[in-house]
Amino acid sequence: MFTFGELIVILVVVGIVAGIVSTAAGLASLVSYPVLLALGLPSVTANVTNTVGLVFTSFGAVPASRRELRGHGQELKTLIPLTLVGSIVGAILLFIIPAATFAKVVPFFILIAGILVLIPRHIHIKQPGEIVVTPKWMTALAWLGIFLVGAYTGYFGAAGGVLMLSILSFTSAAPFVVYNAQKNLALGLANIVSAVVYGLQTPIQWRYVLPLGIGFLIGGSLGPRIVRHLPARLLKIVIGIGALGLAASLFKSAYGL
């Protein structure tokens, strides 16, 4: 076992790395969730600890993403409410669905996320003064998808950012760096709502949350700055491969493969 001081250092370092990965790729749990499990936390407790810690990521990421968020208020007016309502539903489901079921279902979500993000897309980037008309059925489907990602984020959250990026890459006319910033804001707010629901349902492991949150705060402020200087396609490949790797690891632990 680690001493308390060693535990703090480990969690801060893990939080920094996970915060960068979260805001740049939506895969914080590729880093932080397995570490919390390795430290001996049960799956649901590890998920609650990870989600509450992730709240600190948004405090670093959103100020660092002001350049990308500016001028996109209209999209956020739809994205944020759908995500928040979904997150409330998902957070409540976490305490209704048995933990054993939870551990067995999660790998499938992450596998789907990894596959989706690796599928090549030919998104039309809107030019200045150009009007892009989206079919109503596609808009409704996208809204449903955003709600479901919000619910998934409230329920578990690992690779929720990847799922959100997959939807936004189909529906957004903005570049990756912009809809990645929108994802960080929407899911950051969803994590706050989920954390409140969790706090009403179960004790929070603050000795894990606080050092992890400090790391998330630092990493969250660095991630958006890194994204500005990396090719979008490279990021998507890294995100997809990372999601598949996490899914494989969780399949192994959940099903004893």
Side-chain angles (χ1 to χ4, degrees), residues 57-143:
T57 306
S58 59
F59 294 138
V62 174
S65 301
R66 284 178 295 181
R67 181 195 307 178
E68 287 78 20
L69 293 172
R70 192 176 297 117
H72 294 277
Q74 195 61 40
E75 295 127 330
L76 292 172
K77 287 180 182 178
T78 301
L79 179 63
I80 290 174
L82 287 170
T83 306
L84 291 182
V85 173
S87 69
I88 295 172
V89 173
I92 294 172
L93 286 176
L94 178 63
F95 299 98
I96 296 176
I97 297 175
T101 303
F102 169 84
K104 292 182 180 297
V105 167
V106 164
F108 290 97
F109 287 123
I110 299 176
L111 175 63
I112 293 170
I115 293 172
L116 285 176
V117 83
L118 286 171
I119 297 174
R121 300 169 182 83
H122 304 285
I123 302 301
H124 179 80
I125 305 300
K126 184 170 67 175
Q127 302 301 318
E130 182 181 5
I131 299 175
V132 178
V133 178
T134 304
K136 291 182 178 180
W137 68 267
M138 187 179 294
T139 300
L141 193 61
W143 287 358

Side-chain angles (χ1 to χ4, degrees), residues 105-235:
V105 167
V106 164
F108 290 97
F109 287 123
I110 299 176
L111 175 63
I112 293 170
I115 293 172
L116 285 176
V117 83
L118 286 171
I119 297 174
R121 300 169 182 83
H122 304 285
I123 302 301
H124 179 80
I125 305 300
K126 184 170 67 175
Q127 302 301 318
E130 182 181 5
I131 299 175
V132 178
V133 178
T134 304
K136 291 182 178 180
W137 68 267
M138 187 179 294
T139 300
L141 193 61
W143 287 358
L144 175 61
I146 291 168
F147 169 80
L148 293 175
V149 171
Y152 173 74
T153 300
Y155 177 73
F156 181 53
V162 176
L163 288 167
M164 183 67 82
L165 286 174
S166 298
I167 293 173
L168 295 178
S169 69
F170 279 112
T171 61
S172 177
F176 175 84
V177 67
V178 171
Y179 63 76
N180 182 65
Q182 294 173 344
K183 174 266 297 179
N184 288 336
L185 174 57
L187 294 187
L189 293 173
N191 285 327
I192 292 174
V193 171
S194 299
V196 171
V197 176
Y198 293 167
L200 296 173
Q201 297 285 337
T202 187
I204 304 296
Q205 301 292 325
W206 290 108
R207 70 189 187 105
Y208 292 94
V209 168
L210 292 178
L212 189 66
I214 291 170
F216 275 138
L217 176 64
I218 297 170
S221 66
L222 295 175
R225 294 178 171 88
I226 293 173
V227 168
R228 291 176 188 144
H229 303 288
L230 293 177
R233 185 56 191 160
L234 173 62
L235 280 170

